[in-house]
Every structure is written in structure tokens, then in C-alpha cells.
Amino acid sequence: DAGVTQSPTHLIKTRGQQVTLRCSPISGHKSVSWYQQVLGQGPQFIFQYYEKEERGRGNFPDRFSARQFPNYSSELNVNALLLGDSALYLCASSLVRNSNQPQHFGDGTRLSIL
Amino acid sequence: GDSVTQMEGPVTLSEEAFLTINCTYTATGYPSLFWYVQYPGEGLQLLLKATKADDKGSNKGFEATYRKETTSFHLEKGSVQVSDSAVYFCAEDQAGTALIFGKGTTLSVSS
């Protein structure tokens, strides 16, 4: 079975632009979460979606938004990009929204802001 | 808020040496605990997990025991290999929403 897939793998943008990142969860997984990983740090939680509804939001500005589609895939949008948004953006999926269920990660999208 | 603290790296070992990476958490109650591993240029792979006190998670020779009394989940391996070189992250999940990660510990194993 395919794991979590993310696209694109790499992206270069300039300050002020907008970006959309995409994620397809493992088949059958209904929960999708997004994380930001700055170089040399652990991932920071951005959003969780479950059954197409937002179930959790981390400490990120309103420039960050996301949604989940009927097929459980998800998009992360970031507006008005800043240099500090340069990071690896990770998507993770889990079967259900339960702390006992491990989250499985994709390989991420490397976003560079010039 | 809750936090996870890992020992500072990098950890440099010779092949077949014993590995310990310390991890402590602050969450109250009984969070689930995880170790993830990240190889260069890749995402995170689940290494092992424990969901209740005194549980021992194990995988690929790695082990970690959920110690509620010391709020710890230390990662151990009896004999490391060069292929174990990677960044290791400890994480906790209290409510099934957000994983809280430590800053990561870089392990470098030489032959």
C-alpha cells in the first residue's frame, strides 16, 4: 500500500507570494495533520483535520489555512509568504483521531522563500 | 503548554556500541509516547510507541519503556550499526490531535 504522499517535493517562492501544498493520506486513514519543521528543530503542529473538519490548530498566524476533501486528501495554503516560512512541511495521516493511533508521515515539501 | 525534552546531540558512537537517548515529557495524565527517526532528506518514520505506563515499545533492536514515575521514555539499543545514523525524535500525544516533539538528537555511528 502507498504511504502518505505529498506534492510538490520542492518549491521556491518569493516573499509575498502564496503557496498550496498537497497531501494524500494512506488509504483508509481519515485524519490528516500538518507540521512545519524548521532546519535543526522538531516538527511543530499546524493543523489537524478529521472527517473534513478542523479538529486542532497550532500557534500559527491566520496566513496559514487548510482544508480536507471528501476523499480525505488535504491542502495547506500559506498567504503572504515571509522568509521565516522557509521550512519542510510535513503531512501525517492516522486511521482515526486517537492518541493511541500513530501518525504516519510523508517525505514532506521543502519550501524555500527568497 | 506541554513539552518534550531530549538530550542534546550530536551523539557519536562506534559500531556495536550501546546507545541511550534520554527523553522526558511534561504532559499530565497518560499521553501516548513515540520515537520517530528521520533519515537525511526524508520524512519521519515511526520507530516505536507505548500507550500506557510500564509498556515497552520495541522495533529493529531499539527499545523504550514508558516510565510514568519519572515521566521518561528513553531510547536504547544494545549494538548500533552505521545504518542507524539519523535524527531521532521523541514525541507525545495527549489528546489525539497534535504530536509534541522534542528538538531531535542526531546520532552518528562510525565503523
Side-chain angles (χ1 to χ4, degrees):
Chain A
D1 284 344
V4 177
T5 57
Q6 293 186 241
S7 63
T9 54
H10 293 85
L11 206 49
I12 299 175
K13 293 285 188 179
T14 58
R15 283 179 297 173
Q17 285 189 311
Q18 174 265 341
V19 68
T20 298
L21 311 181
R22 295 176 175 82
C23 171
S24 292
I26 292 172
S27 177
H29 284 196
K30 297 182 178 181
S31 178
V32 171
S33 298
W34 288 93
Y35 293 81
Q36 180 195 66
Q37 185 179 19
V38 174
L39 195 64
Q41 299 293 318
Q44 296 291 316
F45 172 71
I46 310 175
F47 286 111
Q48 185 193 61
Y49 276 77
Y50 180 67
E51 290 287 14
K52 300 177 285 295
E53 291 187 9
E54 182 183 304
R55 299 302 182 113
R57 172 185 283 256
N59 188 25
F60 280 81
D62 292 343
R63 300 184 296 108
F64 290 76
S65 64
R67 55 180 175 169
Q68 186 177 35
F69 298 98
N71 65 354
Y72 301 107
S73 67
S74 178
E75 287 182 352
L76 175 70
N77 295 285
V78 187
N79 294 322
L81 288 166
L82 303 174
L83 293 178
D85 295 331
S86 294
L88 180 67
Y89 288 84
L90 295 164
C91 175
S93 74
S94 60
L95 199 59
V96 292
R97 184 172 171 259
N98 182 309
S99 64
N100 291 345
Q101 290 289 326
Q103 296 187 26
H104 299 272
F105 286 79
D107 285 340
T109 294
R110 174 74 61 187
L111 176 63
S112 298
I113 311 301
L114 302 179
Chain B
D2 294 342
S3 65
V4 172
T5 302
Q6 295 179 229
M7 63 186 289
E8 296 283 333
V11 174
T12 303
L13 296 173
S14 298
E15 208 165 22
E16 300 183 1
F18 183 85
L19 168 71
T20 299
I21 300 178
N22 291 338
C23 170
T24 57
Y25 64 92
T26 62
T28 57
Y30 293 87
S32 292
L33 302 174
F34 305 88
W35 277 100
Y36 284 86
V37 58
Q38 187 173 36
Y39 298 99
E42 298 183 8
L44 277 70
Q45 297 178 23
L46 177 66
L47 184 58
L48 53 82
K49 70 171 187 174
T51 58
K52 59 183 187 293
D54 300 324
D55 264 3
K56 177 184 283 188
S58 61
N59 185 27
K60 300 180 181 179
F62 291 90
E63 293 183 339
T65 301
Y66 189 143
R67 300 288 187 199
K68 177 64 177 172
E69 63 275 16
T70 53
T71 61
S72 65
F73 192 55
H74 304 323
L75 182 68
E76 295 182 338
K77 186 175 185 183
S79 176
V80 294
Q81 305 300 311
V82 172
S83 57
D84 294 327
S85 298
V87 182
Y88 292 80
F89 292 94
C90 183
E92 64 98 351
D93 186 345
Q94 179 79 298
T97 300
L99 281 166
I100 309 281
F101 286 91
K103 292 185 177 181
T105 302
T106 299
L107 171 64
S108 178
V109 181
S110 57
S111 58

